[in-house]
Each structure stands twice: as C-alpha cells, then as structure tokens.
Amino acid sequence: MKKILVTGGLGFIGSHTVVELQNEGFEVVIIDNLSNSKIDVLNSITEITHKKPDFHQLDLRVKSDVKNFFDHTKIDGIIHFAAFKAVGESVEKPLEYYENNIGSLVYLLQEMRDRNIDNFIFSSSCTVYGQADELPITENAPIKPAESPYGNTKQVGEEIIKEACNAHNLNAIALRYFNPIGAHDSIKIGELPLGVPQNLIPFVTQTAAGIRKELSIFGDDYPTHDGTAIRDYIHVVDLAKAHIAALQRLLDKKNANNFEFFNVGTGKGSSVLDVVKSFEKVSSQKLPYKIVGRRAGDITAAYADTSLVSKELNWKTEKTLDEALDSAWKWQESQL
Ligand code: NAD
Ligand code: UD1
C-alpha cells in the first residue's frame, strides 16, 4: 500500500482528496497546522471512509519540524495543498504569503531531494493565465504577469518545482485548478470560509441562508452573453479525483516529462447570472442580488480546454454545475 503525505489535508480541497485517496486504498498521512481548517474535519473524513488518516499538526514553515516528520515517516508521494489563498490578503501581507507558500514548498522539496522521495503534486491555479487571449484556455496559453502576491506564489512555485525536478531527478505534476466549488455527497465535509466570503459560491449560499443581505454582482457590462463574468466552476470531488489520476501517473512512471502541468476544469464557462439561476433552481429559493461595479483585477472570462488532462490523465468531470451548487447549498444548510 502506497503511503501519501497530504499537506493541508484538512482544508477544503485537501479533505476531499484524502477521502478519495483512502477510498482508492492509499494510506494517508496528513500535515496541517489548522491555520484555515478545523480538527473536526479529521473525524468527518473518518466517518465517510471508516478509516482514520494519520494526522500531524505541524507548521510547514518550521523547517526543523518538517525534517523531524520525515525522520520518522516513510512516504511514497506528496500532494501539497498547504498554502494561504486569499488574494486580497496577499496584497496586504505579501511576505507572509511568500514565507508560507514558497518557504514551505522549498522545505518539502529539500526533504524529497535529501531522502530520495519522489512523486509531487502541486496545487496551482488558472490565475497563472490572467485574462487569456484565447478561450478555452489550453496549457500552451502564455503565463501573464501575476495580479497579486498570491498569484505570484503559484507562478514562482511552479518554476521552483520545475528547477528542482531538473536538478534533483524528481517528478512532479502541477494541477492548475479553475474554480473549485461544492461539497462531498455525504455533506460531512465542505468549504469553511473565514469571515465574509470573497468567492462567489460561499457568498451565494450565505446570502440564501440569511447570513448576508444580498449578493453584489460585480459588473454586468462584460462582453459576455448576459454581461456578467464567466468562470469554470468545478465540483471539488471531481477535482479531488484528478489528484488521484495525477498521482497514479507518477507512481506508474507514465509521465512524459519530469515536470508536467494540466488544467483542471469542466471545460464549460458559466456567467455569474448562470450561477444565480442554477442556484435558485436547485435550492428553490429566490436569491436577492444587485448589480454593482466591476471588482478590481477581475477578468472577463476563463474556462479550461480539458483535452490534455482528459487524454493524459484519463480523467473528466462527472458532476454538473447544478449538482455542485446543490451540494454547496446542502453543506451551507448543515452549518446553521
Ligand atoms: P484551504 O485553506 O481550505 O486549505 C489549506 C490547508 O492548509 C488548511 O487546512 C490550512 O490550515 C493548511 N495550511 C496552511 N498553511 C500551512 C502550513 N504552513 N503548515 C501546515 N498546514 C498549513 O485551501 P483550499 O481551498 O483547500 O486550497 C488548497 C490549495 O489549492 C492551496 O494551495 C490553494 O492556493 C490552491 N488553490 C485553491 C483554489 C480555490 O479556489 N480554493 C483555487 C486554485 C488553487
Ligand atoms: C478566484 C481568485 C483567483 C483564483 C480563482 C480560481 C480572488 C480575487 N481570485 O477568482 O485567484 O485563481 O478564484 O479559484 O479571490 N463575484 C461576484 N460577487 C461576489 C463574488 C464574486 O459577482 O460577491 C463574481 C466575480 O466577479 C467573478 C465570479 O463571481 O466574476 C467568481 O468570483 P470568485 O469566486 O472570487 O473567483 P475568481 O474571480 O475566478
């Protein structure tokens, strides 16, 4: 049985991936410092899978703790989710973002190099493309200058991994996520945003739950079918499964290069108003909203070309936007 380290394994995407890994028979070790997650998630994962993952509460920024962990645990691969992810906050606190998102990454890669551990999966983002010139976005689209320190940590992170792979004979895959949403079918795990959500779906569900008065739609003057901006919303369980496919590719040594990157999205673009309509349908609720000005830094449209990921990883999405929003709403209701 292969033993996989999942950093940030109690977070939103990490917890769903731990469930899929355990369902597929992998042994999972989680490192999380609980900076953006709750320990209860460990019990929820155990309830879903009937197996308790090994959990280490430690901070990846503390090099000696990371070293000590690897002194005592033998690992066959790493899925690295742990990072700070709030775009706005990264502008206020760039050094904290570089310390956590880059520092932790470097420490992990150093341990891999020193101990001959291979097989690394990295959480990257479609934010690396900025506003792409062509849609859907292929992996050949050029990387645009980052709009925020957070976005820059993903670009620089990929470069660091690529250079480490070349220098130290490591193999890695970066997955460039589009917009992950939704919750596990069991409604035992989901997204836990702190404070006022900045992202669309948690704001929508909190508005429907009466926690927020109304949704502000940021702009209806974009050159799209209804004037609102378009994104590619992917169900978090589909996204979790893409990690298993990427990991298996590395374990089977089927990768074409020592550093590969794939877009992980549905391939379908949905506007903000499409999301509102779909949400109203699945929740049987009228969502209060108003149109306000565009949000600074927002792009018009982004959705993935999924040909490469479906061919190389033999993976495709199974869930629809309606299903993702239905699960997000049920998860919200379970939190009240
Ligand atoms: P999340 O905040 O829910 O999960 C991250 C987890 O990492 C948290 O449980 C947190 O406690 C932990 N963590 C953070 N710093 C740590 C440290 N120094 N040591 C140990 N644990 C630490 O975030 P998520 O939405 O699950 O995102 C996971 C990854 O995917 C991140 O790298 C994020 O940047 C990337 N990503 C997320 C999205 C998205 O929209 N959610 C989109 C693209 C990429
Ligand atoms: C976010 C991240 C980005 C990341 C991407 C994919 C921010 C600022 N950016 O951007 O780095 O790569 O997810 O995970 O967090 N919207 C509203 N009202 C709201 C909230 C959002 O109208 O209250 C609109 C936005 O203008 C956008 C769409 O909804 O058009 C989606 O917004 P959001 O969920 O924040 O995702 P991204 O903008 O794609």
Side-chain angles (χ1 to χ4, degrees):
M1 200 194 283
K2 298 286 183 192
K3 193 186 268 194
I4 307 303
L5 168 62
V6 182
T7 74
L10 296 187
F12 173 42
I13 308 167
S15 58
H16 289 82
T17 304
V18 169
V19 165
E20 297 305 320
L21 281 168
Q22 295 204 141
N23 284 345
E24 291 298 318
F26 289 97
E27 196 177 333
V28 176
V29 190
I30 296 174
I31 288 181
D32 202 303
N33 66 354
L34 304 181
S35 58
N36 197 33
S37 53
K38 298 209 171 101
I39 189 65
D40 309 356
V41 175
L42 189 61
N43 291 332
S44 304
I45 292 170
T46 311
E47 278 173 36
I48 297 169
T49 60
H50 307 293
K51 194 168 174 229
K52 190 166 190 156
D54 187 9
F55 174 61
H56 297 255
Q57 184 175 346
L58 67 86
D59 192 322
L60 292 166
R61 288 169 292 189
V62 184
K63 190 177 167 77
S64 55
D65 285 357
V66 177
K67 200 167 177 315
N68 184 47
F69 167 84
F70 282 98
D71 281 343
H72 295 98
T73 320
K74 207 187 150 306
I75 295 293
D76 297 300
I78 300 178
I79 307 184
H80 180 46
F81 292 105
F84 292 149
K85 63 164 182 177
V87 175
E89 187 186 58
S90 80
V91 177
E92 311 285 316
K93 302 178 178 174
L95 300 180
E96 277 77 1
Y97 272 67
Y98 288 116
E99 180 188 31
N100 199 23
N101 296 10
I102 301 298
S104 303
L105 171 66
V106 170
Y107 293 162
L108 285 172
L109 292 169
Q110 285 174 330
E111 296 302 327
M112 292 180 74
R113 174 199 62 194
D114 295 348
R115 298 166 195 269
N116 295 318
I117 300 168
D118 201 2
N119 309 318
F120 190 78
I121 312 286
F122 179 63
S123 298
S124 190
S125 169
C126 67
T127 192
V128 300
Y129 299 117
Q131 178 57 70
D133 301 324
E134 284 173 38
L135 293 168
I137 302 174
T138 71
E139 286 79 356
N140 294 326
I143 302 294
K144 295 273 172 73
E147 289 269 353
S148 69
Y150 167 75
N152 206 27
T153 67
K154 296 301 176 193
Q155 296 193 4
V156 174
E158 284 197 19
E159 284 170 18
I160 291 170
I161 296 165
K162 187 178 175 190
E163 288 162 4
C165 285
N166 283 335
H168 307 302
N169 208 18
L170 300 171
N171 292 279
I173 293 178
L175 298 179
R176 294 175 175 169
Y177 314 156
F178 281 67
N179 292 53
I181 63 164
H184 192 260
D185 283 347
S186 64
I187 315 298
K188 288 181 191 292
I189 51 173
E191 193 171 6
L192 287 169
L194 286 179
V196 182
Q198 305 302 307
N199 295 113
L200 178 63
I201 281 39
F203 204 101
V204 164
T205 59
Q206 290 195 6
T207 304
I211 302 168
R212 313 280 157 210
K213 195 168 135 268
E214 61 188 349
L215 169 71
S216 295
I217 294 182
F218 300 142
D220 68 349
D221 57 351
Y222 285 103
T224 64
H225 62 275
D226 60 20
T228 65
I230 288 178
R231 298 289 184 274
D232 184 340
Y233 298 95
I234 175 169
H235 197 299
V236 66
V237 173
D238 280 333
L239 175 59
K241 288 179 178 168
H243 291 78
I244 317 296
L247 177 69
Q248 203 59 58
R249 179 178 174 88
L250 292 181
L251 291 171
D252 295 343
K253 306 205 176 307
K254 294 226 169 99
N255 46 322
N257 296 299
N258 58 4
F259 176 69
E260 297 180 307
F261 48 88
F262 298 104
N263 289 345
V264 190
T266 66
K268 187 173 176 296
S270 305
S271 73
V272 179
L273 282 170
D274 290 336
V275 168
V276 169
K277 273 186 219 137
S278 168
F279 179 80
E280 288 183 332
K281 183 174 72 181
V282 299
S283 68
S284 309
Q285 299 234 14
K286 196 93 197 102
L287 190 80
Y289 70 81
K290 64 174 179 203
I291 308 288
V292 300
R294 293 183 180 192
R295 180 169 69 179
D298 267 357
I299 56 170
T300 302
Y303 50 95
D305 184 316
T306 56
S307 344
L308 190 71
V309 70
S310 65
K311 178 168 168 274
E312 296 297 324
L313 297 190
N314 195 20
W315 166 93
K316 62 175 172 38
T317 50
E318 291 164 8
K319 292 175 181 286
T320 61
L321 178 66
D322 283 356
E323 287 172 305
L325 292 171
D326 182 49
S327 66
W329 174 233
K330 288 186 173 130
W331 167 249
Q332 179 67 56
E333 285 185 299
S334 77
Q335 300 300 296
L336 297 177

